[in-house]
Amino acid sequence: MAKRIVAIVGRPNVGKSTLFNTLAGERLAIVKDTPGVTRDRIYADVEWLNHKFTIVDTGGIETEAEDIIMRSMREQAEIAIETADVIIFVTDVRTGVTASDMAVADMLRRSKKPVVLCVNKADSFEKFEPYVYEFYNLGIGDPFPVSAANRQGLGDMLEAVVEQFGDTGEVEEDEDIPRVAVIGKPNTGKSSMINKLLGTDRLIVSDIAGTTRDAIDTRIKRNGREYIFIDTAGLRRKSKIKDEIERFSIIRTVAAVERCDIAILVIDAEEGVTDQDTKIAGIAHERGKGMIIVVNKWDLIEKDTNTMNKMKKDIRNKLAYMPYAEMLFVSALTGQRLNKLFDTIDMVEQYACLRIQTGVLNEILTDAVAENEPPNDKGKRLKLFYITQVSVKPPTFVLFVNSKELAHFSYIRYIENKLREAFLFKGTPIKIIIRERKDNSK
């Protein structure tokens, strides 16, 4: 079940980022500080009235701008519009309808996507009511007056957004076929790899970074089993707009990762792990997806007996937050080791779907506590009462303790490591939810 994507678009300085941060709420403030995962987000998961969806912030659209950066931002906003299921079109009640608003509205009409018109900065509805009606001239539909800064009017606007989702707000997928998102920065050979696996040139491949403009689903059958590969788009890279390109290349990655069971991060062997790789990998990690790191173009590397080990060590150091990830060294050009990819996908899926009996889990927990006593603070010791598995993809466990405050991250990581020692869980993250309960032993 993939979350819907909601893109926030509009011309510059209408309050898009303020609306994004308000809707994201405390989620961004309480995100765990995982090394290597970007905190400079343009996307966030939102839940409203039992509807879960992902919002994406975009740069301001200047439809007539010739400046290279503004042109780029317009292109990225268009990509967000293509990717989104619903669009929130943000305008400014204080400036009224502008020519730029009209141009953006025209762009949105051509997209044929559901649009919710947000008239921002309406701090006082009584004061601004006459001005709100002017926005009917955009021909987008009913305007919703809001004040993102003061959190006013958001309920009606969000209700209009989720009405576009249908009953669940999530996209149904075929549960029987593994969905594999091929992610990574441009020009690492993602499309070439899929073409080699497929045996045809279905995806356009060239040495120009960003040739792929759309996310493409490709069905591949091997040994009687089907797989769906989702190829994420690369974006054109120019030195002056590198940061904006990297920022918005994340949009399609988020959308693809939401739909996948397993993510394959493709790294260029000649470049090694870059900052952008860590950002992209972090998206899959935080969403609990199975993870395979594929080092492509391995045929181009001059090697000695220790080359591969050095590369593995560097990748593990830079992606230290996902030590569980499986790793392959391949060449999409020659097909070297690509035959191992399907076996690795099958293995990661198997571990991501693994269910452990409660009795066995609690035996592991008892042994772990006996081997390494839980921490204490000011005479009060952490007690671990019980552990049970509640879901898969990723394997998720609920651990009942006497005090959440005493359940330090390092000790919970220790418990996770003990679970991995017993059951491996190769290629998949593990989620442990801490629940507090009263100590009835007193």
Side-chain angles (χ1 to χ4, degrees), residues 268-286:
D268 188 323
E270 293 183 300
E271 292 186 23
V273 180
T274 66
D275 288 343
Q276 192 179 0
D277 290 321
T278 65
K279 294 175 184 177
I280 292 171
I283 295 170
H285 170 72
E286 292 186 343

Side-chain angles (χ1 to χ4, degrees), residues 135-395:
F135 288 83
Y136 276 105
N137 292 326
L138 292 172
I140 291 292
D142 294 336
F144 290 89
V146 309
S147 171
N150 296 332
R151 306 182 66 90
Q152 295 175 359
L154 298 180
D156 290 342
M157 183 196 72
L158 288 173
E159 186 172 341
V161 170
V162 300
E163 279 179 359
Q164 305 293 340
F165 292 164
D167 292 335
T168 65
E170 296 183 330
V171 182
E172 294 285 350
E173 304 286 6
D174 190 331
E175 295 291 336
D176 297 329
I177 303 177
R179 305 185 72 87
V180 183
V182 183
I183 61 177
K185 66 184 192 306
N187 210 28
T188 55
K190 300 187 295 295
S191 297
S192 297
M193 187 178 76
I194 294 178
N195 284 340
K196 195 70 174 181
L197 294 171
L198 193 63
T200 67
D201 288 332
R202 170 170 178 195
L203 304 181
I204 299 171
V205 177
S206 80
D207 59 0
I208 302 172
T211 303
T212 308
R213 296 292 299 190
D214 299 305
I216 301 172
D217 285 10
T218 303
R219 286 180 180 256
I220 299 177
K221 183 176 283 190
R222 179 180 181 271
N223 294 337
R225 189 182 192 195
E226 275 194 319
Y227 303 79
I228 296 177
F229 282 78
I230 307 165
D231 184 31
T232 53
L235 297 175
R236 295 186 178 89
R237 181 191 297 274
K238 299 177 182 177
S239 59
K240 290 185 179 179
I241 55 174
K242 179 179 177 182
D243 292 340
E244 285 300 321
I245 291 297
E246 292 188 358
R247 173 180 162 90
F248 283 95
S249 68
I250 289 173
I251 293 172
R252 278 196 177 126
T253 301
V254 172
V257 167
E258 288 287 3
R259 295 172 51 215
C260 81
D261 304 304
I262 297 168
I264 296 178
L265 174 68
V266 182
I267 294 173
D268 188 323
E270 293 183 300
E271 292 186 23
V273 180
T274 66
D275 288 343
Q276 192 179 0
D277 290 321
T278 65
K279 294 175 184 177
I280 292 171
I283 295 170
H285 170 72
E286 292 186 343
R287 278 159 168 72
K289 305 298 181 176
M291 196 74 200
I292 301 171
I293 300 168
V294 169
V295 183
N296 190 25
K297 307 182 186 179
W298 192 239
D299 55 311
L300 303 180
I301 301 297
E302 291 187 14
K303 306 172 187 69
D304 57 34
T305 56
N306 203 33
T307 304
M308 185 177 290
N309 287 333
K310 286 180 180 177
M311 177 69 82
K312 284 182 178 179
K313 184 177 180 181
D314 182 61
I315 291 172
R316 294 298 185 198
N317 285 338
K318 291 180 178 176
L319 299 177
Y321 54 87
M322 51 169 58
Y324 56 84
E326 288 295 293
M327 200 180 303
L328 287 175
F329 291 76
V330 309
S331 168
L333 183 64
T334 67
Q336 181 186 18
R337 296 194 188 89
L338 271 183
N339 62 318
K340 295 183 178 180
L341 184 59
F342 288 102
D343 293 335
T344 306
I345 291 170
D346 289 344
M347 179 187 68
V348 171
E349 184 190 32
Q350 181 180 358
Y351 280 114
C353 295
L354 186 62
R355 288 188 179 273
I356 312 297
Q357 292 181 347
T358 299
V360 176
L361 284 172
N362 283 281
E363 288 178 11
I364 301 293
L365 183 65
T366 299
D367 291 343
V369 170
E371 185 178 327
N372 183 7
E373 199 172 60
N376 67 81
D377 182 37
K378 297 178 181 177
K380 185 177 182 181
R381 184 171 297 279
L382 173 67
K383 290 185 179 181
L384 282 61
F385 297 120
Y386 186 78
I387 187 170
T388 187
Q389 186 173 0
V390 293
S391 65
V392 296
K393 290 186 178 181

Side-chain angles (χ1 to χ4, degrees), residues 19 24 31 56 58-59 91 109 111 120 141 160 176 179 206 218 228 256 278 339 348 390 395 405 417 440-441:
L19 178 63
V31 165
V56 178
T58 67
T91 57
R109 275 192 296 272
S111 76
N120 194 24
D176 297 329
R179 305 185 72 87
S206 80
T218 303
I228 296 177
T278 65
N339 62 318
V348 171
V390 293
E405 291 182 0
N417 290 338
N440 297 321
S441 62

